[in-house]
Amino acid sequence: MKTKLKGRYVIAFNGEYHVMLEHAEVVYENDTIIYVGKNYDAEVSEVIDTGNAVISPGFIDLNALGDIDHDILHLEASVTRQKNLLWSKEYIEKGHSEWMTAEEEEFKSLYAYSQLILHGITTAMPITSVFYKKWAETYEELAAAAKHAANLGLRIYLGPSYQCGIRVVEPDGTIRMHWDEKEGEAGLERAVQFIEEFDGGYDGLVRGMLAPERVESQTANVLLKTKEYSEALNVPIKLHAA
């Protein structure tokens, strides 16, 4: 099935650099673009006139928010209220738990990825906030995210995040790091398991990555193991470093 898209502007590639064509066309057959230009005369199955629009290659977002827009939390919470976004030491010691249900976590990625596509992004490397998490991302929520991305046709790099420490608030208001390296090592192993199962899955739409959360919440040991796994599995690393 051949489809012709017509638009006021088309961002094209002439073999050396990108150019903007005015009143141009893009023709694709199934999943392959077969023509970009101004006058495609062969027969097509459907013609879609997008009007006064820009037809562009899909955008790549390597810092795509894959959950609630947590930048809103940073912007709307003043410096004096930043502590309100962290777990208390008492809550951690009593045994903290996941804040969102599995169903809410699954819908979170479906909604976020739909928004990415609506804004022209076709390749994404999502990140999510761990403020509301028990510790970091789980294997299950990333498995659901991979399914949603594939169903939407989004090319995506995924891997559950992990960390050896989380920031907590003391009773006097000071913030410190609560450490548990075993939790970080277990998270790394879950990430490796995810990569081994999903990397290259869904006809290549889903690719694996290693996502240690925040450089200050890692130990040297886990970071070194992350590098070793990255090389062995041939996957990239995404790390908040500033």
Side-chain angles (χ1 to χ4, degrees), residues 108-119:
K108 172 193 73 179
S109 56
L110 173 61
Y111 179 80
Y113 299 168
S114 300
Q115 294 299 307
L116 291 176
I117 290 176
L118 283 171
H119 289 79

Side-chain angles (χ1 to χ4, degrees), residues 86-89 91-92 96 131-134 167-169:
L86 304 176
W87 298 135
S88 69
K89 176 185 176 184
Y91 178 56
I92 294 291
H96 57 313
F131 281 136
Y132 60 89
K133 300 293 297 174
K134 178 181 179 181
R167 290 181 299 162
V168 298
V169 183

